[in-house]
């Protein structure tokens, strides 16, 4: 990677755990100008969301952002929601980019789950208050849920 003469790069590496103890790794470029200001173009984050109709149900993902926007082909996370028996349960999963633009992700929950779940993100930087749409198709019935981002936490502490 090359930069103009007034900019140099220093590589940092971030590690964090996804579902089932999978270690995710991201090369994060730190750029610094002559003025000494560092500008990180990519960072590892934890994004917390709540289901708008019932805020005790939540969704959390670990992802890589570039200039505030999703830029990863896979994200790891979990939902906490009421199961058919009415009990609040946590379901870990992996979300895989489906459109090549990091806007639509297909979720795989495992544990024999047969639903088809997609998450739709807006084409802009993630921020608190922004809504994310979840569409589940289970036994031929499509249901839409809306989540609201309540926090975006930089996992590198910067």
């Amino acid at each position: 990677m090359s930069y103009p003469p007034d900019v140099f790069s220093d590589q940092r590496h971030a590690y964090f755990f996804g579902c089932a103890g999978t270690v995710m790794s991201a090369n994060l470029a730190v750029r610094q100008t002559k003025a000494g200001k560092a500008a990180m173009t990519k960072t590892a984050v934890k994004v917390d969301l709540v289901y708008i109709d019932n805020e005790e149900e939540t969704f959390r993902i670990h992802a890589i952002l570039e200039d505030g926007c999703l830029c990863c082909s896979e994200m790891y996370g979990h939902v906490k929601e009421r199961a058919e028996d009415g009990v609040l349960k946590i379901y870990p999963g992996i979300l895989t980019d489906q459109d090549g633009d990091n806007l639509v992700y297909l979720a795989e929950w495992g544990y024999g789950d047969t639903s088809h779940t997609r998450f739709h993100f807006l084409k802009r930087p993630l921020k608190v208050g922004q809504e994310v749409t979840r569409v589940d198709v289970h036994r031929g019935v499509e249901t839409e849920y809306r989540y609201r981002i309540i926090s975006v936490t930089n996992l590198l502490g910067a």
Side-chain angles (χ1 to χ4, degrees):
M1 184 179 296
S2 63
Y3 296 102
D6 67 334
V7 178
F8 65 93
S9 74
D10 177 23
Q11 293 295 315
R12 289 176 52 178
H13 224 71
Y15 296 95
F16 56 96
F17 289 91
C19 65
T22 303
V23 176
M24 293 175 55
S25 168
N27 283 321
L28 305 171
V30 177
R31 296 189 319 191
Q32 194 167 25
T33 65
K34 282 183 180 175
K37 294 183 179 180
M40 186 168 296
T41 58
K42 288 187 179 182
T43 190
V45 296
K46 173 182 72 173
V47 181
D48 286 309
L49 304 95
V50 293
Y51 175 46
I52 291 175
D53 290 345
N54 180 357
E55 292 191 4
E56 73 177 345
E57 295 187 17
T58 61
F59 174 42
R60 173 178 285 169
I61 55 174
H62 291 98
I64 305 298
L65 300 183
E66 181 170 14
D67 297 327
C69 298
L70 292 170
C71 68
C72 47
S73 59
E74 291 182 338
M75 298 187 289
Y76 298 89
H78 66 269
V79 293
K80 184 191 300 185
E81 62 187 14
R82 295 224 173 264
E84 291 178 4
D85 61 7
V87 176
L88 203 58
K89 294 185 179 176
I90 294 176
Y91 298 98
I94 182 171
L95 283 75
T96 307
D97 178 32
Q98 293 298 292
D99 66 351
D101 290 327
N102 304 309
L103 300 175
V104 179
Y105 286 83
L106 179 64
E108 296 178 50
W109 304 116
Y111 303 105
D113 183 77
T114 58
S115 65
H116 180 86
T117 303
R118 293 181 321 274
F119 286 91
H120 298 261
F121 293 85
L122 299 174
K123 188 172 184 153
R124 63 179 117 172
L126 295 182
K127 67 178 186 174
V128 172
Q130 192 176 87
E131 290 188 10
V132 173
T133 303
R134 170 184 169 180
V135 178
D136 285 0
V137 179
H138 185 65
R139 297 183 181 136
V141 177
E142 188 170 294
T143 308
E144 185 174 293
Y145 305 91
R146 299 194 74 67
Y147 290 82
R148 183 178 60 254
I149 297 174
I150 60 169
S151 71
V152 179
T153 305
N154 184 334
L155 295 174
L156 299 177

